[in-house]
Amino acid sequence: MLTHVHDLGFRTGEFTVEPLPDAETARVLAVLAARHGAESDTALVPDGREADLRGELAEAAPRLSALAAAIRDRLESSHSGVLIRRAHLGRHGLDTRRRLLYALAVCMGAPTATDRIDRKVVWDIKLRPELVRSGAASTFSEHADEADFHTDTQYFPNPERYMLLYFARAAACGGGRSSLRDARCVRAALGESDEGRWALDLLSRTALPFRIPATFTRTGSRDAVEVTLATVFGDRPLIRFRTDTLCRGLAARPEHDTPEVRRALGILQTELDNPARRLETFMESDSLLAMNNHEALHGRGAFADPERHALRIRIDDGAPQDAAAQDSAR
């Protein structure tokens, strides 16, 4: 059901999928309605029984289950990014698309809550003018500015393994182009010079503070100061990175803000900014990007269309991660 078209470079591939049959779609929606109700995506919250739900979905929708397995297999072997230009979900209403994406995510692992208050699984990435005006927009998903290369939930001790990013409506202005970097390629590039090897070594053994955005803190308060101490490079995840959460974390915990750390981060940023080693593409409406969040960094260009709308789901695979990361508050 997942057909490889060609590689785009940097361990990202373009694939095609077949539309999910109407009968399977109906069965998926029935299974989810029985578990979560038939209202809207606000009912889609983790309930600790995702393994049981995965079994029900495999029986009700074998093609959807097979697609999830194929995507996961690719993300664990040959690719850190799987790009599907047409997911064949556009013919459905937005709530149905949310539910089908949620079902796909459940078949890949355990979808996680995007925040600690509402606990919704499907997160809307769209401009929130009221938050921008008040200065409360604390994540890339709430404003229309450029988003630098980052991995998701790098500020939590255990970042999710996978991420689905579905574009319900692309920016009509042509902005918001997606960029990808692969951690293996980044590490290999750093290893080509003495300076890069030094930076890679320091960032692999020095735990740094990542500031948790207000949206995802325990209280949701803008005044909350919570950080996660972890290395940028590791084994699992292979990389965790986001410039602004690191800078805010270093400001909150200045004992970690040393000249050596600043120099190493600068070397890494220079490599990430190298245009010859990045993949950039425009994600059309009804396109889907699946990523191994432990290996792929992604970014986004600025956009002007306030109607641009994407849906994001993060997925935990249940496997052990690096033990050094610590969540702390002050």
Side-chain angles (χ1 to χ4, degrees), residues 16 52 62 79 94 108 132 145 149 180 228 236 238 249 271 320 325:
T16 61
D52 293 339
H79 296 83
L94 192 56
M108 292 178 64
V132 173
D145 300 332
F149 277 120
L180 294 169
T228 292
R236 187 179 177 92
L238 199 62
E271 170 54 34

Side-chain angles (χ1 to χ4, degrees), residues 10 22 46 49 53 122 151 154 193 206 218 223 232 234 265 273 301:
F10 311 109
D22 290 341
R49 298 182 295 152
L53 180 57
V122 185
T151 58
Q154 75 297 134
S193 69
T206 305
R218 295 180 179 90
D223 298 326
V232 171
L265 291 174
D273 290 338

Side-chain angles (χ1 to χ4, degrees), residues 92-135:
H92 299 294
L94 192 56
D95 278 345
T96 296
R97 281 183 271 177
R98 287 189 175 104
R99 288 185 166 241
L100 292 174
L101 288 166
Y102 171 73
L104 177 65
V106 169
C107 290
M108 292 178 64
T112 60
T114 55
D115 65 85
R116 288 174 168 171
I117 299 175
D118 294 331
R119 302 188 71 245
K120 289 173 54 176
V121 166
V122 185
W123 184 262
D124 292 281
I125 299 178
K126 60 191 304 184
L127 178 64
R128 291 172 169 80
E130 71 284 357
L131 295 183
V132 173
R133 284 193 296 269
S134 67

Side-chain angles (χ1 to χ4, degrees), residues 3 28 72 79 82 100 119 138 171-172 175 227 229 249 264 273 275 285 294 301 317:
T3 303
V28 167
R72 181 168 172 159
H79 296 83
V82 169
L100 292 174
R119 302 188 71 245
S138 62
V227 303
L229 290 170
D273 290 338
S285 298
H294 287 186
D317 70 339

Side-chain angles (χ1 to χ4, degrees), residues 188-209:
L190 290 173
E192 293 173 359
S193 69
D194 291 340
E195 182 180 61
R197 286 189 292 273
W198 173 83
L200 179 60
D201 175 69
L202 187 143
L203 296 176
S204 298
R205 57 182 172 80
T206 305
L208 300 178

Side-chain angles (χ1 to χ4, degrees), residues 52 61 79 89 128 146 160 163 199 202-203 216 222 254 270:
D52 293 339
H79 296 83
L89 299 179
R128 291 172 169 80
E146 179 182 2
E160 294 88 347
M163 186 175 74
L202 187 143
L203 296 176
F216 307 110
R222 292 180 61 189
T270 298

Side-chain angles (χ1 to χ4, degrees), residues 247-302:
C247 288
R248 291 169 186 161
L250 291 170
R253 299 293 178 85
E255 65 272 20
H256 297 277
D257 192 2
T258 67
E260 291 79 12
V261 165
R262 289 284 179 172
R263 180 186 167 212
L265 291 174
I267 293 169
L268 172 58
Q269 191 65 57
T270 298
E271 170 54 34
L272 293 178
D273 290 338
N274 186 341
R277 293 185 174 132
R278 67 192 297 171
L279 170 66
E280 186 173 307
T281 187
F282 182 76
M283 300 294 293
E284 298 90 349
S285 298
D286 196 39
S287 59
L288 176 67
L289 179 61
M291 286 175 279
N292 184 325
N293 185 53
H294 287 186
E295 299 179 2
L297 299 104
H298 62 285
R300 179 198 71 211

Side-chain angles (χ1 to χ4, degrees), residues 164-199:
L164 298 179
L165 193 59
Y166 172 75
F167 290 79
R169 178 165 175 167
C173 62
R177 290 175 62 85
S178 296
S179 299
L180 294 169
R181 288 293 312 258
D182 176 75
R184 286 184 172 85
C185 298
V186 172
R187 293 173 72 132
L190 290 173
E192 293 173 359
S193 69
D194 291 340
E195 182 180 61
R197 286 189 292 273
W198 173 83

